[in-house]
Amino acid sequence: MSDYDFSSLNDKEFEKLSADLLSTHLGVKVERFKAGRDGGVDGRYFEAPDSEVIIQCKHWSKSGLPKLISSLKRTEATKVKKLNPVRYIFVTSLELSKTNKTEIKNIFSPFIRIDSDIFGKEDLNDLLSRNPQIEQNHYKLWIQSTHVLKIMLDAALVGRSKSKLQEITEDSKRYVITENHQQALGKLESIHSIIITGAPGIGKTSLAEQLCQFYTAQEYEFCFIENSLTEAEQHYEAQRKQVFYYDDFLGSNYLLALEHHQDTHVINFIKRIKNDSKKRFILTSRSNILNQGKHLSERFRIEKIDKNEYELSLDGLSNFDKAKIFYNHLWFGYLNEEYIEEIYKDKRYHNIIEHKNFNPRLVSFITDPDRLESINPINYWDYIKSTLDNPKDIWKHVFDNQMDEISKHILIAVSLHYRKISELKLKKFFQHLKYSSLNVDKDKLFDNAMKELTGALLNRYVVEQGVVEYSLFNPSIADYIFSTYMDDPNYVGELLACLESVEATDNILSLLNSGTLDRNFCIDLVEWQLKSLLRCNSYIEKKQYSLQLLALALKLALSSPNCLELMQKFSENIIHSGYSEISASLFDFMCWSINTLVQSPSDGRIKVLVESWVLKGDLDYDELVSLSELIFLLEPESGELTTFFKEKFIEFYSYEITRYVIEGGIFDDEFEHGFEDFDRVNDFIDDDVSTIPIDFNEAEIQEISENCSFEEIIESNREASMDYPRPSSSPLSRLDGSFILNELSEIDDLFDRG
């Protein structure tokens, strides 16, 4: 039997559910009315032409039974006497005992004929158990069911994916299914992939997460991609239903993403997903970042990425959809009644809904009681207007009045880090802060600092046992920080030195590329870091951070004495002691060192080191491409290193060639076994390796091509062409608007509290 408490529904959604259940239970068509203008009528039907039966619903889950009984005696009984129905049916989401039902029957006597005309929580759950289709049609109810939640959590991969899915589930109550949701779902069903774009705060992530939740409820395995598509490729299983979610896939550092061939990876993965009916691929990106990426990426243009893109824009939301979003924040929030009254005065909610800056993020902000501690209810409306008129300043009051210096340092550091940051890294940063030149409270404990920030300014995630991560409570915090605190390179440099974050150095470049940071500021910031590393000789113990900082210097085209000195010392240290964390950045740095004459290409020690890197193995495609450029500098006319590299590259490419051809889609229309076309595979490989400075001859390309399995390609095409059967009870087919809260009337009716 179902066991809902109906807390996932607001009062209007509860009325709709009650009407649907009673229509089926009583075998009649329950007529519904506009909310608030019914004089105590939420539904009715006629037993005979002049025999009106009235239905009243009370979703008093927050107030409890004693207050409900009091309200029924005080106001509702009088309304029913005036209506004088032949029969009165009462529905509530609260638990009711036999005694409770008798008391309610007596309050409405003689209009309630029998106790069974009173429906409480248990009765509604019983009706739902007997009518599973109604349960499925009410999405927010169904998605929160114990059965579905178990399916979803079982479907999530361990670690971050499971943690992310739990987070998504907790945020479901306030979600409103709009036309955006319907169109996005339709695109996913059609081409299996979607890129959701839009301005900050528009609701990209909320839509993407709810789509993920829907598919995991359909027993799709959930894979949350944190850093790169390599994570998705590692978990891809042909026979399994899977949904992959890549939030903010270009980040703000679209140039870095494109440089690392992220565009190629995304395009190829979209192609692969398109041909696999068991897979769904959901990505998000800010509109301006994706547009810049498309402008610079030939692959995005050639493959017409726009056909996979669904632009999420509030221009496509009706005012009633906006009203439902706002109403849910009030219903499921904890805003004091005094503040709510200020919104209802003169129907001010219209001003909010129709404001040009309306977006879900701002709505969440202005209805969050934790942010109103210093705002008197009398001043609440002025606060709302100011926030809507000047959304960029929403965090100014918090930073100026509600936190100490060490909390600011932590938030700025987390913003610079950009991605989720581990608790271990934050603890190290916290300790470094106390020994830095920054003025901090040395007696303050890390746990106390994090308790003050968590929930209001930071999110805390338990990824797995013993692993905790943090992220900004809201991305707009970073927007505020970057527009307010990025003017002092000495201060930011000190923070970065304490943080020692490779991700932060990447983010500095992205902020420069997006125009958020001034170029001169970035140069001064990098110079400060270079001096610090040289002064303390800390580049020896901070190799990975030093490498990333020098990579940033390369992007800035720095050639200052500090830069050249650190480059020489760092490269000498690498040559002398080796470097275990090999990467494309390392190879790029060594190319830079040679090109700037800091290191000589004839230095035999470099060749020995590079040979060890070639022979190490486990290099991915991007790393092999960068390594080929380094080898070409050392051996422009070929040599032993070039021979070793070719063997490694051919081995790698031969292993991957079938997958690359499938993802490339060059044989998508072939379905008959026995088909072979090595000439087209050769052309495909030849085109791909043309970006590598080392030449591959016809025989070497043929050696790779011979490892292509046409049988696998045919099987993949055949499997992709088959429609995967969906359970007949799936509510997917019902996501046509039929189960959505009907637009009962105008916004006033939605907000009317009866």
Side-chain angles (χ1 to χ4, degrees):
M1 176 177 169
S2 302
D3 188 25
Y4 293 109
D5 62 6
F6 306 101
S7 61
S8 64
L9 305 180
N10 65 35
D11 55 340
K12 308 305 187 295
E13 293 163 337
F14 177 71
E15 291 171 13
K16 174 65 168 65
L17 172 67
S18 299
D20 288 351
L21 286 172
L22 290 179
S23 291
T24 301
H25 176 61
L26 300 171
V28 297
K29 172 64 176 176
V30 173
E31 183 183 1
R32 298 183 62 212
F33 296 93
K34 294 179 179 180
R37 298 184 183 177
D38 49 43
V41 180
D42 291 321
R44 73 173 180 182
Y45 69 93
F46 289 87
E47 291 183 337
D50 295 321
S51 300
E52 183 182 40
V53 179
I54 288 176
I55 299 168
Q56 184 69 32
C57 302
K58 293 294 181 183
H59 187 24
W60 281 48
S61 57
K62 295 182 180 180
S63 304
L65 188 60
K67 287 189 177 181
L68 172 63
I69 296 295
S70 176
S71 174
L72 298 183
K73 291 177 180 178
R74 188 176 64 255
T75 60
E76 298 301 322
T78 304
K79 290 181 184 179
V80 175
K81 286 179 183 178
K82 288 181 180 180
L83 292 168
N84 194 31
V86 298
R87 182 180 178 188
Y88 185 69
I89 297 175
F90 182 77
V91 184
T92 179
S93 56
L94 297 173
E95 292 184 7
L96 297 177
S97 66
K98 185 176 184 303
T99 302
N100 297 147
K101 286 192 175 186
T102 300
E103 184 177 6
I104 292 172
K105 178 187 171 187
N106 291 336
I107 291 172
F108 292 111
S109 178
F111 306 106
I112 293 183
R113 299 173 179 175
I114 52 177
D115 286 0
S116 58
D117 277 350
I118 301 170
F119 293 82
K121 172 190 166 186
E122 299 84 352
D123 304 301
L124 295 176
N125 275 297
D126 180 55
L127 291 177
L128 281 168
S129 296
R130 284 186 269 150
N131 298 279
Q133 192 60 48
I134 294 178
E135 176 185 34
Q136 292 163 356
N137 289 348
H138 286 263
Y139 178 78
K140 285 177 63 179
L141 184 73
W142 166 79
I143 207 74
Q144 291 283 322
S145 70
T146 303
H147 172 65
V148 169
L149 289 176
K150 185 178 186 305
I151 288 175
M152 288 193 293
L153 293 180
D154 287 347
L157 294 172
V158 297
R160 287 180 175 82
S161 292
K162 187 174 287 290
S163 173
K164 185 65 179 178
L165 192 55
Q166 290 171 332
E167 176 191 340
I168 291 171
T169 302
E170 291 168 5
D171 292 340
S172 295
K173 290 182 180 179
R174 294 181 183 177
Y175 184 69
V176 172
I177 296 179
T178 66
E179 187 60 26
N180 287 328
H181 183 106
Q182 306 290 41
Q183 293 182 26
L185 189 60
K187 187 172 283 290
L188 275 169
E189 287 300 287
S190 173
I191 57 177
H192 305 162
S193 297
I194 185 172
I195 301 175
I196 302 172
T197 72
I202 204 90
K204 301 181 296 295
T205 299
S206 294
L207 173 57
E209 290 179 349
Q210 292 305 312
L211 292 170
C212 290
Q213 182 175 240
F214 173 80
Y215 279 106
T216 52
Q218 302 298 312
E219 300 186 26
Y220 280 70
E221 185 179 67
F222 176 63
C223 179
F224 177 53
I225 304 166
E226 186 80 33
N227 297 309
S228 76
L229 274 177
T230 302
E231 300 168 37
E233 290 163 351
Q234 289 172 345
H235 293 290
Y236 195 105
E237 293 188 34
Q239 301 303 319
R240 191 185 294 268
K241 291 197 296 181
Q242 293 175 302
V243 55
F244 299 94
Y245 174 36
Y246 200 172
D247 189 28
D248 201 14
F249 79 102
L250 285 179
S252 52
N253 197 354
Y254 60 93
L255 286 181
L256 184 67
L258 299 183
E259 180 181 287
H260 288 170
H261 309 288
Q262 186 97 300
D263 54 342
T264 300
H265 289 176
V266 168
I267 292 296
N268 287 342
F269 203 69
I270 284 175
K271 284 184 174 181
R272 188 178 185 184
I273 293 291
K274 183 180 179 181
N275 295 324
D276 190 336
S277 60
K278 299 186 184 73
K279 303 293 186 292
R280 300 294 182 268
F281 187 27
I282 300 169
L283 307 93
T284 67
S285 174
R286 292 188 180 190
S287 292
N288 63 320
I289 298 300
L290 183 59
N291 288 337
Q292 290 165 329
K294 287 189 292 187
H295 177 71
L296 293 172
S297 168
E298 184 178 0
R299 285 305 302 274
F300 278 169
R301 290 195 299 274
I302 291 174
E303 303 295 341
K304 297 179 181 178
I305 194 69
D306 295 62
K307 70 180 179 182
N308 291 295
E309 176 191 345
Y310 180 70
E311 183 80 21
L312 178 63
S313 170
L314 278 181
D315 291 340
L317 278 181
S318 68
N319 279 341
F320 190 64
D321 279 337
K322 295 178 186 179
K324 288 189 285 184
I325 291 170
F326 186 33
Y327 187 79
N328 267 4
H329 277 78
L330 294 180
W331 177 266
F332 292 109
Y334 299 93
L335 202 57
N336 188 286
E337 186 63 28
E338 292 176 291
Y339 293 91
I340 294 177
E341 285 297 332
E342 291 298 313
I343 293 172
Y344 272 82
K345 276 184 183 177
D346 302 320
K347 300 181 180 179
R348 285 169 168 170
Y349 45 80
H350 281 292
N351 299 83
I352 297 172
I353 293 161
E354 296 169 11
H355 198 283
K356 64 179 181 179
N357 290 329
F358 177 98
N359 69 43
R361 181 179 297 170
L362 283 178
V363 168
S364 178
F365 193 92
I366 63 177
T367 56
D368 184 350
D370 291 335
R371 308 196 185 283
L372 302 175
E373 292 180 359
S374 60
I375 307 294
N376 190 288
I378 297 174
N379 301 321
Y380 181 46
W381 182 244
D382 289 335
Y383 167 79
I384 290 175
K385 289 193 298 181
S386 175
T387 302
L388 289 171
D389 290 339
N390 304 285
K392 290 184 179 179
D393 294 336
I394 60 177
W395 297 105
K396 179 175 173 57
H397 178 79
V398 177
F399 273 73
D400 290 349
N401 302 290
Q402 296 180 1
M403 68 173 69
D404 57 18
E405 288 301 311
I406 202 164
S407 295
K408 289 181 184 178
H409 300 329
I410 293 172
L411 281 174
I412 295 170
V414 173
S415 299
L416 287 168
H417 185 79
Y418 182 66
R419 298 288 182 185
K420 286 180 181 176
I421 187 168
S422 71
E423 188 170 61
L424 181 61
K425 182 177 267 302
L426 266 185
K427 281 183 177 179
K428 289 181 179 178
F429 167 74
F430 191 82
Q431 292 304 316
H432 290 161
L433 268 182
K434 293 191 174 184
Y435 295 100
S436 72
S437 61
L438 298 174
N439 183 26
V440 299
D441 179 3
K442 291 181 170 54
D443 294 327
K444 188 159 189 174
L445 299 175
F446 175 79
D447 289 344
N448 291 341
M450 300 314 293
K451 283 179 183 177
E452 293 171 10
L453 291 170
T454 300
L457 293 158
L458 289 178
N459 294 320
R460 184 177 188 270
Y461 309 93
V462 179
V463 178
E464 54 191 41
Q465 189 172 7
V467 179
V468 175
E469 293 179 337
Y470 291 89
S471 70
L472 292 177
F473 178 81
N474 197 295
S476 62
I477 297 174
D479 294 338
Y480 174 76
I481 285 172
F482 296 145
S483 65
T484 307
Y485 291 93
M486 296 294 112
D487 58 356
D488 184 351
N490 295 326
Y491 168 65
V492 178
E494 189 75 61
L495 281 182
L496 288 174
C498 293
L499 186 61
E500 298 176 11
S501 165
V502 170
E503 292 83 355
T505 57
D506 281 347
N507 197 31
I508 293 295
L509 177 61
S510 80
L511 294 170
L512 170 65
N513 291 334
S514 65
T516 303
L517 295 185
D518 177 75
R519 179 177 176 81
N520 290 330
F521 170 83
C522 291
I523 290 174
D524 291 343
L525 179 62
V526 172
E527 286 287 353
W528 191 98
Q529 294 281 292
L530 294 171
K531 288 178 185 177
S532 175
L533 289 170
L534 286 167
R535 184 174 60 250
C536 305
N537 283 327
S538 54
Y539 63 86
I540 297 173
E541 62 184 71
K542 301 178 182 178
K543 282 187 177 180
Q544 191 175 6
Y545 179 69
S546 299
L547 175 62
Q548 209 64 23
L549 183 65
L550 285 165
L552 178 55
L554 170 60
K555 305 299 182 185
L556 290 166
L558 284 185
S559 59
S560 65
N562 286 322
C563 183
L564 294 176
E565 182 183 352
L566 182 59
M567 190 193 308
Q568 183 171 19
K569 288 186 175 181
F570 188 69
S571 57
E572 280 290 337
N573 183 262
I574 290 174
I575 293 168
H576 177 72
S577 59
Y579 195 91
S580 58
E581 300 292 331
I582 59 176
S583 65
S585 294
L586 174 62
F587 306 148
D588 292 342
F589 166 71
M590 293 303 295
C591 288
W592 184 33
S593 298
I594 293 170
N595 284 325
T596 54
L597 304 180
V598 167
Q599 295 296 336
S600 169
S602 61
D603 188 333
R605 298 176 302 163
I606 298 179
K607 287 193 175 184
V608 171
L609 182 62
V610 173
E611 183 179 340
S612 71
W613 292 341
V614 173
L615 297 177
K616 181 176 181 180
D618 297 328
L619 298 176
D620 63 25
Y621 183 83
D622 293 340
E623 290 166 343
L624 286 167
V625 171
S626 293
L627 182 57
S628 72
E629 293 168 356
L630 175 57
I631 291 172
F632 183 74
L633 285 176
L634 298 175
E635 294 181 347
E637 302 298 328
S638 295
E640 190 176 51
L641 274 180
T642 305
T643 301
F644 287 154
F645 172 81
K646 281 190 171 185
E647 291 174 358
K648 178 67 66 175
F649 187 84
I650 291 170
E651 178 186 1
F652 170 85
Y653 213 131
S654 296
Y655 180 79
E656 298 287 353
I657 182 59
T658 303
R659 181 168 69 87
Y660 286 173
V661 168
I662 291 173
E663 290 177 0
I666 62 175
F667 296 127
D668 279 355
D669 297 328
E670 302 295 341
F671 296 94
E672 297 301 322
H673 290 291
F675 162 79
E676 288 185 351
D677 189 343
F678 285 104
D679 288 341
R680 286 176 68 185
V681 176
N682 290 339
D683 291 341
F684 176 84
I685 299 168
D686 190 42
D687 181 62
D688 197 33
V689 300
S690 65
T691 59
I692 296 176
I694 295 174
D695 290 330
F696 287 82
N697 59 41
E698 188 176 330
E700 290 165 336
I701 290 175
Q702 183 68 37
E703 182 181 349
I704 298 172
S705 175
E706 289 172 354
N707 288 277
C708 182
S709 171
F710 288 94
E711 288 297 307
E712 284 187 42
I713 294 170
I714 298 302
E715 284 301 317
S716 175
N717 290 346
R718 287 187 170 189
E719 185 177 311
S721 68
M722 297 172 60
D723 290 326
Y724 190 83
R726 191 173 297 280
S728 58
S729 61
S730 166
L732 181 62
S733 59
R734 301 296 300 235
L735 283 178
D736 56 1
S738 63
F739 73 96
I740 301 175
L741 175 63
N742 292 332
E743 295 191 359
L744 303 177
S745 64
E746 301 89 357
I747 294 167
D748 287 338
D749 296 313
L750 174 67
F751 277 82
D752 195 296
R753 294 187 284 182

